[in-house]
Amino acid sequence: MTASLTDATTATTEVARSTELYQRAEARTAHNYHPLPVVVEHAEGAWMTDVDGKRFLDLLSGYSALNFGHGHPGLLRAAHEQLDRLTLTSRAFVHDRFADFCAELGDLCGKELVLPMNTGAEAVETAIKVSRKWGYEVKGVTPGHAKIIVSSGNFHGRTTTIVSFSDDPDAHNGFGPFTPGFQMVPYGDLEAIEAAIDADTVAVLIEPIQGEGGVVLPPDGFLRGLREVCTRENVLMVADEIQAGLGRTGKTFACDHEGVVPDVYVLGKALGGGIVPVSAIAADRDVLGVLRPGQHGSTFGGNPLACAVGLEVVRMLATGEHQDRAAELGVVLRDRLEALVGHGVLRVRTRGLWAGIDIDPAVGTGREVCEALMARGVLAKDTHGSTIRLAPPLVITAEDLAWGLDQLAEVVRAADPA
Ligand SMILES: Cc1ncc(COP(=O)(O)O)c(C=O)c1O
């Protein structure tokens, strides 16, 4: 159902509740985020409703964690059934959902083994540890010398090791001392990667599409070339598909667009169905087999609730239905956004149902455009000042998507001085 514009501008007495809760939250929490002033109470599909009863079309999907929309019935069913039965064992014991989750996720990835964790950053940390250990035990790198190549503009999470190799000053500055062992090269520059590889290099850690960076795509052929280089040089290709993977781009993995299979998949966000944090890495036995008892773990990683929901996610993806839908609606998204270039929009980058839109500074900042969209009942998120990221739930209807894009067109066109 499509909200009318008046839904987003109801009586001021009701708005007070949103404002009050927003201000109370701001007063009692660290300001590590700058949220839009909306206070959500419930949600269904692509729509969220705030505490004042106003409805908003969600074009962010929790940064792709809600690929299947809010309250997906199959995912909720899996969660409810599991909640009533068993929620946590720790990995000290095995639970009855663990084998199916690992096997079916492994099959989806075409990999022999899976190691479940919780957040994306933990999965990235896991991939880093496994790559280093593989380097020492399998490749024969001198202990303590392992090097991992990363990209400029990367975003892999917020742990101290991960922010050590971030070139975003906000993410990096003030959090040293930093973890050594990473070398940065320009994103998408295959020659720079080849030049950086030496005898100590154990892995190239790459986002096949940079999400936080503003949906930045590497040059055509880059992933294929990287695969060849990694194979030739005996270096692991580690693909962080946390935001790009699991249907978002119109294929199961963003690497699929170039027919490339990395050595290690790093997954998160949508794997938890928007219900629980579930992340994982998937790799073959020659890589993940380097871990032995006591060397890595997490109390909650692979817990029964996470596995029940994650298994349902994997089964939904195994049908290909959501990937096809993202591809189909992605054409609409691309065509509609490209029509805005030159009309308040400088550039757009899309892949499947995912877009980075560079707003003409003459129109306003990304934040200002998101605020104007919010006033019209559409929620999106700015990144890096002047870029807006759109990641609608893959279950959005074509009508709702068209309506949301109408709002964006009206906002940027109304403010376009040209
Ligand atoms: C590509 C990528 N890797 C890792 C992360 C970190 O995930 P989490 O916030 O669950 O730790 C993110 C989060 O945005 C991401 O986009």
Side-chain angles (χ1 to χ4, degrees), residues 269-280:
K269 295 198 192 281
L271 193 55
I275 298 177
V276 273
V278 185
S279 67

Side-chain angles (χ1 to χ4, degrees), residues 1-52:
M1 189 178 133
T2 300
S4 74
L5 288 185
T6 46
D7 286 342
T9 50
T10 46
T12 40
T13 45
E14 291 174 10
V15 171
R17 183 138 189 264
S18 250
T19 309
E20 185 221 324
L21 286 171
Y22 183 86
Q23 287 170 350
R24 275 178 53 206
E26 286 291 287
R28 298 305 300 267
T29 187
H31 289 174
N32 57 331
Y33 280 91
H34 183 200
L36 286 170
V38 58
V39 180
V40 181
E41 192 175 71
H42 59 269
E44 197 181 335
W47 288 91
M48 300 204 276
T49 307
D50 80 356
V51 288
D52 303 312

